[in-house]
Amino acid sequence: MTITITAFESSPDGGKGLARDMRVRWALEEAEQPYDVRLVSFRAMKEPAHLARHPFGQIPTYEEDGLVLFESGAILFHIAQHHAGLLPDDADARARAITWIFAALNTVEPPIVELEQAPYVEGDRSWHKERLPLMRDRIRTRLDQLSSHLGDTEWLDGAFSAGDLMMVLVLRRLEGSGLLEEYPNLSAYVARGEARPAYQRAYADQLAVFKAAVD
Ligand code: GTB
């Protein structure tokens, strides 16, 4: 019955908790479920043993009692469905919280990832610099809308939920871009998520892995 997840053996984010295993770690901490971590190198991720768990050769994965899952959104949803603490009991509120998981992944994250990856995939093209303001404005459109929705409330829909967990971690990917700081209520929202004891434990655990790798 032990849960095992996978994470980077040495995360390229320098221990900042930006890799997607953080979504699973935080969810398991909120759900108060103990878990083991199998650390994988970039090479091992593309080998048959890991590809059997994850067809795209990535992290995170989740294993429990013969069940093997990949995709951080699906893993979060699975954890939230099976343990208390991440989804409301009321059916409509539960459906709305699940909607926010999808919104974070399908509506807010894509333009953020596009900006993040642009230097690697197109940084050497003559038009790259011209595209940067367009990409930033695309993100602003989503942040404007999210900021309006959140207003001065604490979480996206009532009590903290898996939807907030996913949204906070998606917004964290803007660190260093200066964009989140343009929205004080969204910055405060992310800070509220980061202040949760379960987040703190998850963050400390992934940082310990990174520190052990560089020592
Ligand atoms: N849709 C999948 C999910 O949500 O689970 C995406 C999984 C994914 O992109 N995994 C990445 C991975 O395994 C790690 S999280 N990459 C290795 C590969 O594809 O070969 C993405 C990530 C990586 C690094 C940083 N960073 O350095 O800041 C942040 C996020």
Side-chain angles (χ1 to χ4, degrees):
M1 289 292 274
T2 307
I3 295 169
T4 303
I5 70 167
T6 50
F8 282 132
E9 187 179 73
S10 174
S11 181
D13 70 1
K16 291 198 192 110
L18 295 172
R20 288 176 170 94
D21 60 295
M22 190 58 196
R23 300 169 178 186
V24 182
R25 290 176 182 275
W26 186 6
L28 288 168
E29 292 291 349
E30 291 285 352
E32 299 180 6
Q33 295 303 304
Y35 61 97
D36 289 341
V37 184
R38 183 184 302 114
L39 300 175
V40 286
S41 65
F42 277 90
R43 190 177 47 78
M45 270 188 265
K46 309 301 176 203
E47 287 174 353
H50 189 73
L51 286 169
R53 291 179 207 109
H54 195 309
F56 305 112
Q58 297 183 311
I59 61 102
T61 60
Y62 174 101
E63 290 156 74
E64 184 182 19
D65 212 14
L67 173 70
V68 183
L69 297 174
F70 60 97
E71 282 298 331
S72 58
I75 297 170
L76 170 59
F77 183 44
H78 176 81
I79 295 166
Q81 267 190 311
H82 288 88
H83 304 284
L86 284 161
L87 286 174
D89 291 334
D90 173 75
D92 286 357
R94 200 176 176 90
R96 288 195 302 273
I98 293 164
T99 300
W100 279 112
I101 302 177
F102 281 87
L105 291 173
N106 289 350
T107 304
V108 180
E109 186 169 47
I112 296 175
V113 171
E114 189 187 17
L115 179 70
E116 195 178 83
Q117 294 186 344
Y120 309 108
V121 299
E122 62 179 54
D124 57 347
R125 304 299 173 98
S126 56
W127 38 259
H128 169 63
K129 283 212 169 70
E130 275 176 64
R131 248 172 54 77
L132 284 173
L134 301 176
M135 288 189 274
R136 291 174 69 84
D137 279 349
R138 225 171 272 152
I139 295 171
R140 280 192 188 98
T141 300
R142 291 298 174 235
L143 297 184
D144 283 345
Q145 294 162 327
L146 189 64
S147 172
S148 296
H149 173 86
L150 185 68
D152 58 8
T153 59
E154 212 179 355
W155 305 113
L156 290 167
D157 191 307
F160 174 83
S161 79
D164 294 296
L165 186 156
M166 190 58 89
M167 190 65 81
V168 164
L169 290 180
V170 163
L171 293 177
R172 274 207 64 216
R173 300 188 74 165
L174 288 167
E175 272 177 21
S177 72
L179 285 163
L180 196 62
E181 292 74 6
E182 295 176 16
Y183 301 85
N185 69 335
L186 294 182
S187 298
Y189 170 67
V190 170
R192 267 194 298 281
E194 291 172 333
R196 291 179 71 83
Y199 176 99
Q200 296 283 324
R201 289 193 295 274
Y203 187 90
D205 285 352
Q206 65 77 39
L207 181 59
V209 170
F210 179 77
K211 283 188 170 159
V214 294
D215 276 354

